[in-house]
């Protein structure tokens, strides 16, 4: 599983369709990133979201910008 904050913070560079993995950045008490397989039913969705974006762009660009008080995953 993954925390909603980590999912909202995914960037295109964190999605490797060839290896079929996400690289989740450390969250909370984690000290290093985690490589997690992309579920087969998500591959097409991830491919569509990556299309036309650069490596530093967010996969979920519609999430609000983070502030000192609110993460990108805030409701």
């Amino acid at each position: 599983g993954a925390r909603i904050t980590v999912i909202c913070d995914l960037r295109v560079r964190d999605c490797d369709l060839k290896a079929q993995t996400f690289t989740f950045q450390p969250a909370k008490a984690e000290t290093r990133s985690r490589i997690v397989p992309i579920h087969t039913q998500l591959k097409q969705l991830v491919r569509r979201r990556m299309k036309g974006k650069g490596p530093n762009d967010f996969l979920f660009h519609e999430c609000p910008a983070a502030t000192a008080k609110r993460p990108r995953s805030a409701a």
Side-chain angles (χ1 to χ4, degrees):
R3 299 178 190 281
I4 187 75
T5 301
V6 176
I7 293 170
C8 289
D9 286 341
L10 274 174
R11 295 183 185 265
V12 171
R13 67 174 177 248
D14 298 324
C15 307
D16 186 340
L17 290 177
K18 191 170 188 174
Q20 299 181 21
T21 59
F22 291 122
T23 301
F24 291 130
Q25 299 307 311
K28 297 225 175 198
E30 297 172 340
T31 57
R32 45 184 205 166
S33 59
R34 292 185 299 139
I35 297 175
V36 177
I38 297 174
H39 192 282
T40 55
Q41 292 181 342
L42 290 179
K43 286 193 308 189
Q44 293 303 319
L45 174 93
V46 172
R47 186 181 320 279
R48 284 193 310 268
R49 287 194 156 271
M50 291 173 68
K51 189 174 182 175
K53 294 180 180 177
N56 292 324
D57 292 335
F58 287 107
L59 189 65
F60 298 99
H61 61 274
E62 62 270 35
C63 293
T67 66
K69 294 183 179 185
R70 286 179 61 124
R72 294 188 75 238
S73 61

